[in-house]
Amino acid sequence: MFSMRKPASKFLSLFLVLAMVCSLFGAAFAAEEETATPYVIPDVDGKVVILHTNDTHGADLDEEGTSFGMAGVAQLKKDFEAAGADVLLVSAGDSIMGKPLVSADQGKSAIEFMNAAGYDAMTVGNHELDFGIDNLKALAKDADFPILCADMTTEADGKTVFDSNKIFEIGGVKVGVFGLATPETLTKADASKMPGITFPQTDKLYAVAQAQVDELNKAGADLIVCLGHLGIDDESIGNRSIDVCEHVNGIDLFIDGHSHSTTADIIAKVGDTNVVNGAKIVSTGTALANVGVVIYDQETGTLTDELVPAASYTKTDADVAKLVDDRNTAVDKVYGEKIATTEVDLNGSRSGGAATDPVTKAEMTFPEGEGVRTTETNLGDFAADAILWQARQTLGEENVDAYYLEFDDDRSGDFAPLAEVSGDKKVVLGLITSKKPDLEDPDTIKARIQEATQYIPLDRLCLSTQCGFASTQEGNKLTEDQQWAKIALVQSIAKDVWGE
């Protein structure tokens, strides 16, 4: 039973909007979809079809032209099955954290929706760890499908937290699927919530992936699929899907996530193709704006891929739609109180450009390259002010002895907030980055310290690196010598500024 997708749900209040955009969901405003031709199921009779999603981030409520929702995903799977295909439905991670629809109960609803839609497997995204390893283990027990991850291990015994792989026998084809999570999980989620968990990087990551391919080949897999949450961003070089495929032989299909990229983005990054070392790399973007379709033709041994945009497919599964709608209504009762309004556009975009408000549908444009992932924005300032207000309400001014503040890049903002520091509190200026090995110019750092004295007397200022060198398992990619050089730079500058 299916129904036609309804228009977007009602206004959820400024609070809910801010909850969405302030989360690590990242893209607070989605680009408006062009009118699309209705999608027609191709000739797939007797073929294996792999449907894939990634980085859904709680966009499980179907919204016409914007998001499939889980009801749309469920119906698409049924339509392919009705056309004679043997279907696998998989997720490349980041399903349980994002909009309050799934975040409010720490991902429990996300798993319920995926169960109802008929998912067959998923891998671990970094945001699957936002609520901690114990929560993820509990969700894995609730899931009707396996969570596969070959590179997430327990340091004490070296064993994987979840199964590494599984062979699915469908339509006479053995499809071997293994999972990979990004090593960035330890820096892009809270490492304290996953004690003793490790992720290999670069060559060690490639070795894990190659071992999985070899194991699945030995078990007789006809098609080998990596379900990965690695992405293609330059900041992830060495640990990207592209890098794994370049260094690992035998992967037929790599279903990617993490960077919110589409297959078109992958083609642009690689250069006129999405095939690397024989592996086809695909990804759907984010927030169920698309669902990926990969068709395996057993007779020719070929894979074809396409993305189905939400604007071109409007059918939904009625039962799944009701499940999601009921949950959305319950969440709306909690988060739906309107507490304020804003007369200005709050910049929650990733990196600027044209955007559309997800609730009012108002069009707006932010300066290109200026968003919450790249620079200081008014939304970021608003969130920081709210956090500061709550900290003062909870702790009180007198319960804080010092402030440790990162000021190592333009995104960190200027020193103006230091005017709010009261009494005799000290401020430690994190002006030396621990993210990159290049040494800062001493005169530039001294000038910045002098600039900070406009707000805080010099005798209440201190200098340090902006973060520790090994605050996570993998550290910040500086050699030991480079780390000592940073410390020596801090000491040298401090001696010049404050004396012995």
Side-chain angles (χ1 to χ4, degrees):
M1 178 180 180
F2 69 85
S3 60
M4 301 304 290
R5 181 172 295 131
K6 63 183 183 306
S9 62
K10 67 179 182 178
F11 175 67
L12 293 183
S13 86
L14 175 67
F15 182 82
L16 178 54
V17 175
L18 292 180
M20 293 190 298
V21 297
C22 290
S23 73
L24 294 181
F25 174 45
F29 302 108
E32 191 170 358
E33 296 284 351
E34 296 291 336
T35 301
T37 302
Y39 181 71
V40 177
I41 302 295
D43 180 11
V44 291
D45 188 28
K47 297 177 181 177
V48 171
V49 172
I50 301 175
L51 300 181
H52 59 93
T53 62
N54 58 273
D55 300 278
T56 53
H57 289 296
D60 297 284
L61 183 70
D62 61 279
E63 296 189 0
E64 187 173 358
T66 302
S67 171
F68 265 81
M70 276 296 142
V73 174
Q75 188 59 47
L76 186 64
K77 181 180 182 182
K78 288 183 176 180
D79 283 356
F80 269 99
E81 290 173 336
D86 294 287
V87 182
L88 277 180
L89 174 58
V90 297
S91 165
D94 274 9
S95 298
I96 73 168
M97 172 63 173
K99 292 186 177 182
L101 178 62
V102 299
S103 296
D105 61 2
Q106 300 188 347
K108 183 175 178 62
S109 289
I111 298 299
E112 291 177 356
F113 302 155
M114 294 174 74
N115 285 342
Y119 274 78
D120 296 293
M122 73 174 290
T123 195
V124 176
N126 51 296
H127 290 304
E128 260 71 63
L129 276 303
D130 282 344
F131 302 114
I133 184 63
D134 291 337
N135 180 73
L136 183 56
K137 288 179 178 179
L139 294 179
K141 293 180 180 179
D142 293 337
D144 295 337
F145 51 86
I147 295 178
L148 303 176
C149 194
D151 65 331
M152 179 180 175
T153 60
T154 303
E155 189 173 20
D157 57 16
K159 295 181 179 179
T160 58
V161 178
F162 302 107
D163 290 343
S164 298
N165 62 60
K166 181 175 179 177
I167 290 182
F168 297 87
E169 297 192 35
I170 57 171
V173 177
K174 290 184 176 181
V175 182
V177 181
F178 71 96
L180 292 178
T182 176
E184 296 172 359
T185 300
L186 285 171
T187 55
K188 294 187 174 179
D190 186 347
S192 68
K193 295 181 179 179
M194 47 184 129
I197 301 299
T198 63
F199 298 84
Q201 296 188 79
T202 57
D203 289 346
K204 292 180 180 179
L205 175 62
Y206 311 151
V208 168
Q210 188 65 66
Q212 289 299 303
V213 172
D214 295 344
E215 180 181 327
L216 290 169
N217 273 327
K218 187 176 181 180
D222 301 304
L223 185 69
I224 295 180
V225 179
C226 179
L227 196 53
H229 194 83
L230 301 183
I232 61 170
D233 284 342
D234 289 345
E235 68 181 24
S236 304
I237 285 177
N239 299 308
R240 303 170 302 172
S241 54
I242 295 169
D243 303 316
V244 169
C245 291
E246 284 178 343
H247 290 86
V248 177
N249 298 318
I251 297 174
D252 297 303
L253 176 65
F254 195 111
I255 297 172
D256 200 14
H258 189 43
S259 56
H260 296 191
S261 308
T262 63
T263 302
D265 296 325
I266 294 168
I267 292 172
K269 178 72 73 171
V270 175
D272 297 324
T273 182
N274 63 329
V275 178
V276 176
N277 190 25
K280 182 182 286 288
I281 309 174
V282 294
S283 191
T284 68
T286 184
L288 288 176
N290 305 285
V291 171
V293 178
V294 178
I295 301 172
Y296 177 60
D297 190 322
Q298 298 95 302
E299 293 184 3
T300 62
T302 57
L303 293 169
T304 57
D305 66 276
E306 64 176 329
L307 295 185
V308 182
S312 70
Y313 186 85
T314 59
K315 295 162 64 177
T316 60
D317 180 277
D319 292 335
V320 178
K322 184 179 186 307
L323 176 68
V324 179
D325 287 348
D326 287 349
R327 175 60 185 165
N328 186 64
T329 298
V331 171
D332 191 17
K333 288 181 180 179
V334 177
Y335 290 91
E337 179 186 359
K338 182 177 178 180
I339 60 171
T341 59
T342 175
E343 296 181 353
V344 300
D345 294 334
L346 297 175
N347 185 357
S349 67
R350 287 173 70 90
S351 58
T356 302
D357 187 296
V359 174
T360 68
K361 304 305 178 184
E363 296 182 359
M364 61 199 73
T365 302
F366 299 111
E368 198 66 41
E370 295 185 13
V372 293
R373 294 292 184 94
T374 57
T375 190
E376 181 179 6
T377 68
N378 58 355
L379 178 59
D381 291 342
F382 179 81
D385 289 344
I387 293 169
L388 178 60
W389 177 86
Q390 184 61 61
R392 285 172 171 167
Q393 298 300 307
T394 303
L395 300 174
E397 295 288 355
E398 301 310 315
N399 290 334
V400 177
D401 296 319
Y403 295 92
Y404 292 76
L405 305 174
E406 297 188 13
F407 285 109
D408 65 318
D409 55 25
D410 292 340
R411 182 182 174 187
S412 304
D414 58 27
F415 293 133
L418 297 184
E420 301 296 323
V421 176
S422 64
D424 59 354
K425 306 296 186 296
K426 289 184 179 296
V427 172
V428 181
L429 301 174
L431 296 171
I432 307 297
T433 187
S434 61
K435 303 170 189 172
K436 302 175 183 178
D438 297 335
L439 292 177
E440 287 80 356
D441 175 60
D443 290 336
T444 300
I445 299 301
K446 292 174 187 177
R448 296 207 68 196
I449 294 171
Q450 184 61 37
E451 181 184 349
T453 62
Q454 298 176 54
Y455 307 98
I456 303 291
L458 184 62
D459 61 358
R460 285 168 48 204
L461 292 174
C462 305
L463 177 66
S464 77
T465 56
Q466 126 284 336
C467 190
F469 296 109
S471 55
T472 62
Q473 171 68 23
E474 74 270 27
N476 289 339
K477 300 182 181 179
L478 276 69
T479 66
E480 184 174 346
D481 287 344
Q482 290 168 339
Q483 293 174 34
W484 281 115
K486 290 280 186 175
I487 293 172
L489 178 63
V490 171
Q491 291 175 324
S492 174
I493 294 173
K495 183 177 181 181
D496 290 344
V497 172
W498 288 281
E500 296 290 345

